[in-house]
Amino acid sequence: MTHADQSTPATTIPAEHRADVETLWDYHNMHHELRPCDIGIGLGSHDLGVAIIATDLYHRGYFPRIVFTGANAPTTIDRFPRGEAVHYAEYAIEHGVPDNAVLVEPNAANTQQNFELTRKLLDERGARVQSAIVMSRPYQQRRAYATAKKIWPDLDVVCASRPLCLDDYVRSIGSPTKVIDMIVGDTQRIDVYAVRGFAVAQEMPSSVRAALNNLVKAGYTSRLIS
């Protein structure tokens, strides 16, 4: 099935799918209130917005150090050839975060490893943290939270993303199809990863399930897992 947005402008959510996309977009936003924490953790992805929000929150005093974590994935190797965490760290340092306030974890290949390897890195450095602002792309917040609570249950987690509305976020990525595919994939993973033991279970309202099913039927399936 072809995507319905092929005839629409490159940065526009198709009108017939907007309500469903907005439902999923809001579901993944944990709506956490920011507060100062012991560490900032930036999860690697294709989205440079993670580095942007991490840099901003550091300068605003929300945490004294940042760990950027992430290797590469097929969706990021072209944009971040030296690794997601490395490029994020370079951005932060170029924008005024001191070198000694940035840690790089360059090996994590998934969200579970993001937390496992970050925790290991901090333990090796003798850093005992009780709270963290976890920064991710907007539609990864809920999965990041659920994964952190499984892997690092005693960590007080606050989720954050670059504060963009859906349309501005799509424009920042440059492809509504990519964004919708990724949101659909992350929504499916909320259930699948809980069943597989990678994350704690999260409630999924019937409206969210209906929106997910509608978008799958519309052909936004490239990020689904079996």
Side-chain angles (χ1 to χ4, degrees):
M1 182 181 296
T2 59
H3 290 304
D5 71 343
Q6 288 184 339
S7 62
T8 63
T11 57
T12 301
I13 295 287
E16 62 269 34
H17 303 312
R18 172 170 289 277
D20 289 327
V21 176
E22 288 180 344
T23 295
L24 300 191
W25 176 264
D26 186 66
Y27 172 68
H28 288 286
N29 187 335
M30 297 298 291
H31 301 284
H32 285 167
E33 183 175 349
L34 291 177
R35 60 182 182 274
C37 288
D38 297 329
I39 197 79
I41 302 174
L43 305 185
S45 73
H46 65 274
D47 182 2
L48 187 63
V50 175
I52 294 172
I53 185 64
T55 299
D56 176 59
L57 294 183
Y58 172 85
H59 286 308
R60 291 165 60 190
Y62 278 99
F63 37 74
R65 286 198 290 180
I66 311 168
V67 179
F68 290 115
T69 168
N72 269 127
T75 56
T76 66
I77 187 68
D78 290 336
R79 187 173 191 190
F80 302 131
R82 295 186 301 283
E84 298 154 5
V86 171
H87 282 266
Y88 283 6
E90 290 172 350
Y91 175 92
I93 292 168
E94 288 169 0
H95 289 80
V97 180
D99 291 24
N100 60 7
V102 179
L103 299 176
V104 173
E105 186 296 294
N107 299 311
N110 54 53
T111 308
Q112 179 178 342
Q113 291 179 6
N114 285 144
F115 291 109
E116 289 174 341
L117 298 179
T118 293
R119 188 176 192 178
K120 180 181 178 183
L121 175 64
L122 291 171
D123 284 346
E124 289 172 348
R125 291 175 174 261
R128 297 293 181 262
V129 301
Q130 296 181 313
S131 60
I133 296 182
V134 174
M135 293 154 289
S136 67
R137 55 189 187 263
Y139 53 84
Q140 191 187 6
Q141 280 193 25
R142 184 171 293 275
R143 183 162 63 86
Y145 178 83
T147 305
K149 285 302 179 183
K150 181 71 175 185
I151 303 302
W152 201 341
D154 55 340
L155 186 68
D156 181 13
V157 174
V158 177
C159 291
S161 301
R162 192 180 180 197
L164 298 177
C165 69
L166 174 59
D167 289 321
D168 286 345
Y169 183 78
V170 170
R171 281 190 285 271
S172 78
I173 300 301
S175 169
T177 296
K178 181 175 184 177
V179 171
I180 299 172
D181 278 345
M182 296 289 280
I183 293 174
V184 166
D186 264 55
T187 307
Q188 181 208 30
R189 284 163 173 77
I190 295 295
D191 280 341
V192 173
Y193 284 1
V195 171
R196 295 182 182 181
F198 301 155
V200 299
Q202 294 283 287
E203 181 181 359
M204 187 178 293
S206 58
S207 59
V208 173
R209 292 193 183 281
L212 172 63
N213 291 335
N214 290 341
L215 292 170
V216 169
K217 290 177 182 177
Y220 294 99
T221 58
S222 73
R223 293 292 297 169
L224 293 180
I225 55 175
S226 57

